[in-house]
Amino acid sequence: MTLGNNAGSLAQVWPEVERAECLARGAALKWASGVFCRPEHLERLSQYRKRESQRTTSIHTRLKSMVQSYLEGVGWGLEQLQEARAELKEVSQSLKKAGLESNGNTDGVKSLERLREVSVNHCQLLAAVSNLPRLYSVRSMVLETERLVESRRLLEAHARLMDLEQWQDDILWQLHGAAGTAGSALSTEDQELVAKYFSGVGKLVDALGKELWAVVSSALALARQNPTPFVSAVRIVEREEALDQALLEERGGPRGSSRPLPPGRPRCWRACFFQVLEEAVSARFRSVSYLHTRGPGLAGHLSALQHAIMADLATVRHLLEHCVPSHYQITRAYLRASNHCLHAHLAQVSSWDLESGEIFAVLNWVLHIYNSPDMMGHPELVTEMEKEELGPLISTEGLEQLQNKYVQSVRKSVSEWMHKALQVELQDWQRDQEPDTDHEGFYQTSLPTIITQMLEENARVALMIGQSLRDQTIQMGLYEMENLLNRFREALVESGKEHRKDLSNNKNKFYLHYLLASISNCIILKKSTESLQQQQSSRSAGQFSRTPSNPLAALDRAVRRACRLVMDQLLLDLQPLLPGLMTRHWLVQGDPTPKLCTILEHHLELYGRVRPPCRQRLQEEAQWLMVVEYVRALMQKRMVCRNAEERRQLAQQMVQDDQQFREIFHGLEGEGSVPEVNPLALLPVLADFIKLKDPGMLTLEVSGLAAKYPDISEEHVSVLLDIRGDVSRDIRGAVLDLLEQSAPPLPAGYRPIFTDILVPPSTMAFCLPTAKCA
């Protein structure tokens, strides 16, 4: 009942307790319903009751101990608060007593102010009295120090200067201490007064520094003659550096003094020493002007730089190293200064408008001479400093720009020389004599020799700089050669036009000879081009231009154009005799075949002055041209057979002509490749077709003819049938139908011959409406 009342009162104070109790009752009922779900389970009710009673007792015990510990902690805290309150009361009372005593001593402190003023004045007067001897001697000391500086007695001058600076520093410190005692900072007027009185000291510092740096600037000359002034300068620099370090450590230590740094400190004269050394090195390059280093003078200037730098380094290593402390590492400092100055100087030189020879001199000096054992690659210098520490004289981008400028300069020169060589070549074509021959008897002119030597020489010179520049130069040369060959081909075309215009005047009797020399020149240039292309590295071929040059294709175009012009000249020489073929006069006397053979023989003899393989090509083209013109004359139907005897005579004369042609071209098969289709084989085939006795066999004959020469057309066969003069309309229709049905495609590699032979149009005013026409 009491617990219920307590629970009720707690529920009124804390509503959460009631909710927790409800949850607990619900959980207990759920547990009991699960455990005692059967009647026989009630036998273990006493066991469950005992276990839950023990658990409840244990929980109550733990709760009581926990509450007890909380109560003990609260009691201890209250005791501490009471003790602190008592101590605060005592402290407050003590502070009140101290305040009352301080108020009582105010009048006594005010009476001591007059004493403090007297003490400050006494300290100032004492400092003035103690410094009077120094103050009187300042001006004389300044004058004496000036004389020492002017006479370059630097060590003595520096000792006097240090005394003057020490006096100035002491006076400032005494004034500063007196002002601090008086409770104020040093006034600006006092500082200006001291600075004005010691103004000569600052001028002495500047004068001494000027003399020091003059000595350091001429260190190399002094080291060879009298190193004493330089040693004195180094000792003064080290004294100043030590004094700077001591003053900084005194002011910047953990117990740093409030004493300010003297005026002009720190001087950092050691850093100035190396700066002056670098300026002395750079002075060798400042006097170099643009005009004094133009053309060959640039190579001489670079050579003079090399000898001057190595002589200076020898002086530094053997003499100056013994005049300075080891930590100066003066050789390394001189190397850095020289490299830095050379870098700036070469950057200035590279910005000039240099010619190819000047650029070559710069690149060769930078890439090869500078790092060679004669300069920075010297064993004694390599131990002083690695190349990576010095850095490159010219950056990678700068080297690429220089190489591009070199290639462009060489390209301009090559283009001009090629243009001049082509002009000389065109003038040679007008000479009234045969072209020159080489030791093998082939025609040639000076053009390929000039071009080949020029390109190979440029490639050889560029290789002295590096493979990359060589590849760029070769690529440029091939590009210019392609341009030259294009102009050369155009010149051939113009020369052919002019020659055809002046046939009546017969101005150029050796036109054909120079055409053949041009073909031989192209063959020489082709070998030179292939040699240059083989010299290029595979990774760089085509790398230096957006559109890679293709001089071999230009050479092939020029050769084909020259061969075409040669064939045009052959046709021009044969043209007056061709109308005499396939006529009654030709059938009876065989004329003009011997004259045609004479012209062919003369041309073939000249073709022998052309280098292989173009010699064989010209012979094949001449053979092809002769056969085409011969068959074209046959297709003119200048002669139509009236009987079998005339057909026999016509075929016999064609065979005889074929034998004469074969005797002329007999050497063709032994000198070069034989064409797949021998054009001379066509003449006996046509002769057999004409002399065929049985017209009924013409169908079979035409079938064989079409198999050998698939480009033969119905018009060609129709003209052949007309020449026979004995073919009936039925046979003609059957032959043409067969040809139309069995027209085979042209095989691969077959060169058409009948395609070049046009059949003249029929002179008939009308035609009968036959099935064939329909």
Side-chain angles (χ1 to χ4, degrees), residues 221-472:
L222 291 174
R224 299 186 185 101
Q225 300 172 2
N226 180 21
T228 303
F230 179 74
V231 174
S232 300
V234 173
R235 291 179 61 184
I236 291 172
V237 168
E238 284 301 298
R239 286 181 186 176
E240 288 291 329
E241 193 69 18
L243 187 56
D244 285 345
Q245 191 67 26
L247 291 173
L248 290 174
E249 290 178 355
E250 180 182 352
R251 269 72 174 176
R255 297 181 180 179
S257 171
S258 60
R259 186 172 183 174
L261 284 172
R265 294 287 180 180
R267 294 204 173 103
C268 302
W269 274 10
R270 186 186 293 170
C272 294
F273 173 88
F274 290 105
Q275 183 178 355
V276 170
L277 182 66
E278 182 174 352
E279 291 177 356
V281 175
S282 65
R284 292 181 172 270
F285 307 99
R286 292 177 189 160
S287 59
V288 178
S289 66
Y290 174 77
L291 296 177
H292 294 161
T293 58
R294 290 295 294 153
L298 181 58
H301 165 67
L302 294 176
S303 177
L305 277 182
Q306 173 188 354
H307 291 94
I309 291 173
M310 295 309 296
D312 291 348
L313 280 173
T315 302
V316 171
R317 286 187 292 112
H318 298 134
L319 298 178
L320 287 186
E321 280 283 3
H322 305 293
C323 299
V324 298
S326 58
H327 63 82
Y328 268 46
Q329 296 181 337
I330 194 168
T331 302
R332 178 172 296 189
Y334 188 85
L335 284 173
R336 278 196 299 266
S338 299
N339 189 79
H340 177 73
C341 295
L342 280 174
H343 177 80
H345 179 61
L346 291 176
Q348 179 188 8
V349 172
S350 301
S351 65
W352 296 342
D353 186 15
L354 302 177
E355 299 293 338
S356 58
E358 298 168 324
I359 300 175
F360 174 83
V362 173
L363 289 174
N364 184 56
W365 199 85
V366 170
L367 296 177
H368 300 297
I369 296 178
Y370 185 71
N371 294 319
S372 68
D374 294 334
M375 280 198 74
M376 297 306 166
H378 194 280
E380 296 183 6
L381 295 180
V382 171
T383 57
E384 290 290 339
M385 180 175 290
E386 298 294 333
K387 296 179 181 178
E388 291 75 10
E389 296 183 41
L390 292 176
L393 284 181
I394 301 179
S395 63
T396 304
E397 295 78 7
L399 285 176
E400 291 180 357
Q401 292 176 2
L402 266 184
Q403 291 183 0
N404 292 334
K405 287 175 64 175
Y406 176 81
V407 173
Q408 292 302 321
S409 179
V410 173
R411 179 178 183 175
K412 181 181 178 182
S413 176
V414 168
S415 179
E416 292 175 356
W417 274 102
M418 285 186 174
H419 180 73
K420 294 178 182 178
L422 183 58
Q423 295 301 318
V424 173
E425 178 76 4
L426 297 179
Q427 293 174 5
D428 289 345
W429 290 356
Q430 307 301 323
R431 292 193 304 175
D432 194 17
Q433 63 182 26
E434 286 190 46
D436 298 331
T437 57
D438 60 7
H439 65 283
E440 296 178 310
F442 298 127
Y443 283 144
Q444 70 172 15
T445 61
S446 60
L447 179 66
T449 303
I450 295 174
I451 300 302
T452 300
Q453 290 180 353
M454 179 170 51
L455 295 182
E456 290 181 351
E457 179 66 15
N458 285 326
R460 184 188 65 80
V461 172
L463 184 60
M464 296 173 63
I465 300 300
Q467 184 176 351
S468 173
L469 185 61
R470 189 270 311 270
D471 293 338
Q472 291 186 60

Side-chain angles (χ1 to χ4, degrees), residues 82 97 185 196 206 235 238 253 311 329 383 664 700 711 744:
Q82 289 176 356
K97 292 179 181 179
K196 183 177 180 181
D206 296 337
R235 291 179 61 184
E238 284 301 298
Q329 296 181 337
T383 57
I664 295 174
L700 182 60
D711 63 319

